[in-house]
Amino acid sequence: MSKVLAVNAGSSSLKFQLFSMPNAEDITSGVIERIGLPDGIFTLKFAGEKDKQILDIPDHSVAVNLVLNALVEKKIVDRLDEIVAVGHRVVHGGEYFSKTVIATDENVAKVEELKDLAPLHNPANLTGYYSFKEALPNATHTFSFDTAFHQTMKPEVYIYPLPYEYYTDLKVRRYGMHGTSHQYISERTAELMGKNKEEVNLLTLHLGNGASISAVKGGECVNTSMGFTPLSGIMMGTRTGDVDPAIVTYLMQKLNISAEEVINIFNKKSGMLGVSGISSDARDVDDAIVAGNERAILTRKMYAERVRQVVGGYMLQLGKVDAIAFTAGLGENDTMIRAAILDLLAVGMGVKYDAELNANTRGKEVKISTDDSAVEVWIVPTDEEFVLARDAFALYNE
């Protein structure tokens, strides 16, 4: 058995999961938080136990060494060279990458080049890569991109109706995000249906604090709701989703603020938080709905309606829909949001679901549609780390 590490490095965090391949057995996982800040937190889950430490973690190199030392000290691995591959999550692959690739010097340079398209993410992703590459120089290191799965979209879908040179010269286009999740969910849902991915048309709903919807035809993405940035698409926890772009200049003039300040409002003060005035956490909004709060009720209605608008358009684009799959924090666990969305889809799509099963299902793989539903409805917990590890192991063996 070979050990493969899946890594998701953020600007101040490092998530990781170790797998035994090729059977994809989950050995251990953990997260390091507050890198570069006082009182860093290192949490390791192993053998059913959780170990949490508070300590100074000044940079990613220290964080990586903490992880690797813990793996040896706790005898999770006997030697570090048992880790034959490391799969790194990278947010933006631009038009360069449509699949997972080995982290060659050339590919690293391309990821560096794309930092302007994901200034908060790509540099942090690379910081994690550099640290692990130094610590594990003999392992095969790979990049898996959030944007890669969406590269099968056609130009009429991904090009914006702007002056064409903005696309050719500045790379302004629809890219989409959460691609690793949408890929996993589409493949796993087809498997649960007892079919090959090439046989089914799916709508994958990745509903978390950030949220996106993808239309997947025969295993390939034909459309996705996020665009040039993760700000576009449906309403989210703190993000607007799609709005009239003229609102930007209107608010600049009325509030005497900069474009950057408006975008900050769109990103961090809008969505569920902005409409409800309560929280970006759907659980808090749900509690307020139960208490009869009108703005909380409006928030859920708006959220479900915007999902319906996207799903309706994608249904026509696909021609037929075999299944809808819910995933991520809200999709897997928020029973009331699922119900609100499915109730709206009953008319146009003929969706029927078991209300009691839906109300009692959180974080489990299960079909909640009834036998007479025109479209199957599934809850499928996402596993992006598995995709990172699987692809890294495959490239290691090439």
Side-chain angles (χ1 to χ4, degrees):
M1 294 293 179
S2 301
K3 307 293 193 305
V4 178
L5 196 61
V7 172
N8 181 358
S11 58
S12 62
S13 65
L14 177 67
K15 297 179 182 178
F16 62 93
Q17 190 164 349
L18 184 68
F19 292 86
S20 175
M21 302 298 280
N23 60 353
E25 177 189 353
D26 178 7
I27 300 173
T28 187
S29 64
V31 60
I32 294 182
E33 302 166 276
R34 297 178 57 84
I35 298 173
L37 300 171
D39 299 327
I41 305 169
F42 177 24
T43 305
L44 181 70
K45 298 178 182 178
F46 176 62
E49 297 183 359
K50 181 188 290 188
D51 179 41
K52 184 175 181 179
Q53 302 178 57
I54 307 296
L55 64 169
D56 287 335
I57 309 172
D59 55 42
H60 282 74
S61 293
V62 173
V64 168
N65 285 324
L66 278 172
V67 171
L68 297 178
N69 289 338
L71 296 181
V72 175
E73 290 171 3
K74 292 185 178 294
K75 300 191 183 303
I76 299 169
V77 298
D78 294 325
R79 306 178 316 278
L80 288 180
D81 59 11
E82 292 178 33
I83 302 173
V84 299
V86 184
H88 299 268
R89 179 205 179 202
V90 179
V91 164
H92 219 302
E95 293 186 320
Y96 289 131
F97 303 105
S98 60
K99 60 183 180 180
T100 299
V101 297
I102 292 177
T104 61
D105 290 345
E106 180 183 2
N107 288 334
V108 170
K110 288 178 179 176
V111 174
E112 289 273 16
E113 178 189 330
L114 292 166
K115 64 184 180 181
D116 287 344
L117 295 180
L120 298 179
H121 297 93
N122 273 32
N125 303 151
L126 282 170
T127 297
Y129 159 71
Y130 290 133
S131 296
F132 271 104
K133 178 65 174 176
E134 182 179 0
L136 298 172
N138 296 322
T140 297
H141 292 261
T142 62
F143 291 148
S144 294
F145 302 89
D146 282 13
T147 52
F149 183 63
H150 306 305
Q151 287 297 300
T152 50
M153 293 187 297
K154 294 181 178 179
E156 57 265 35
V157 173
Y158 68 72
I159 292 179
Y160 289 117
L162 295 167
Y164 192 70
E165 60 267 24
Y166 295 172
Y167 164 62
T168 56
D169 298 348
L170 302 176
K171 307 304 179 186
V172 175
R173 53 157 285 179
R174 178 180 301 279
Y175 289 103
M177 298 292 165
H178 300 138
T180 307
S181 178
H182 288 291
Q183 178 184 358
Y184 174 81
I185 295 303
S186 60
E187 292 174 355
R188 181 59 181 157
T189 302
E191 185 179 353
L192 291 168
M193 296 171 70
K195 297 184 178 181
N196 296 321
K197 64 182 182 180
E198 293 80 10
E199 299 178 280
V200 293
N201 291 350
L202 305 172
L203 292 168
T204 52
L205 279 59
H206 180 107
L207 307 181
N209 195 264
S212 62
I213 300 172
S214 288
V216 184
K217 186 179 184 69
E220 294 188 344
C221 177
V222 299
N223 209 337
T224 193
S225 58
M226 282 184 171
F228 181 63
T229 74
L231 179 57
S232 62
I234 65 171
M235 174 180 177
M236 298 173 235
T238 62
R239 293 175 230 167
T240 57
D242 291 341
V243 295
D244 186 334
I247 294 173
V248 174
T249 52
Y250 178 81
L251 292 179
M252 289 172 64
Q253 294 165 2
K254 290 293 183 180
L255 301 178
N256 192 28
I257 57 178
S258 67
E260 290 76 13
E261 289 173 303
V262 175
I263 295 301
N264 186 63
I265 292 168
F266 283 10
N267 266 308
K268 298 181 180 179
K269 299 180 181 180
S270 302
M272 288 188 178
L273 172 62
V275 177
S276 72
I278 297 167
S279 175
S280 63
D281 192 317
R283 292 168 293 189
D284 297 331
V285 176
D286 289 344
D287 291 341
I289 290 172
V290 173
N293 184 290
E294 291 186 2
R295 281 176 59 180
I297 294 170
L298 173 63
T299 300
R300 182 190 290 165
K301 287 182 177 179
M302 287 176 60
Y303 191 94
E305 175 58 34
R306 277 150 182 76
V307 171
R308 174 167 69 169
Q309 290 171 12
V310 173
V311 165
Y314 289 0
M315 179 178 68
L316 291 175
Q317 189 174 2
L318 288 172
K320 73 179 182 73
V321 177
D322 297 299
I324 299 169
F326 287 88
T327 196
L330 276 69
E332 295 171 26
N333 300 297
D334 196 310
T335 63
M336 291 189 283
I337 278 186
R338 284 199 305 258
I341 293 169
L342 292 172
D343 288 344
L344 290 182
L345 299 181
V347 177
M349 296 185 72
V351 169
K352 297 181 181 180
Y353 68 101
D354 185 323
E356 183 177 355
L357 181 59
N358 174 66
N360 290 287
T361 300
R362 292 175 176 82
K364 296 180 181 178
E365 287 185 343
V366 64
K367 183 173 79 169
I368 61 172
S369 53
T370 56
D371 291 341
D372 58 342
S373 178
V375 178
E376 292 187 21
V377 179
W378 288 84
I379 301 168
V380 183
T382 193
D383 195 346
E384 296 165 278
E385 289 76 16
F386 164 75
V387 176
L388 266 63
R390 178 195 66 186
D391 289 359
F393 186 64
L395 288 172
Y396 159 75
N397 281 313
E398 284 189 357

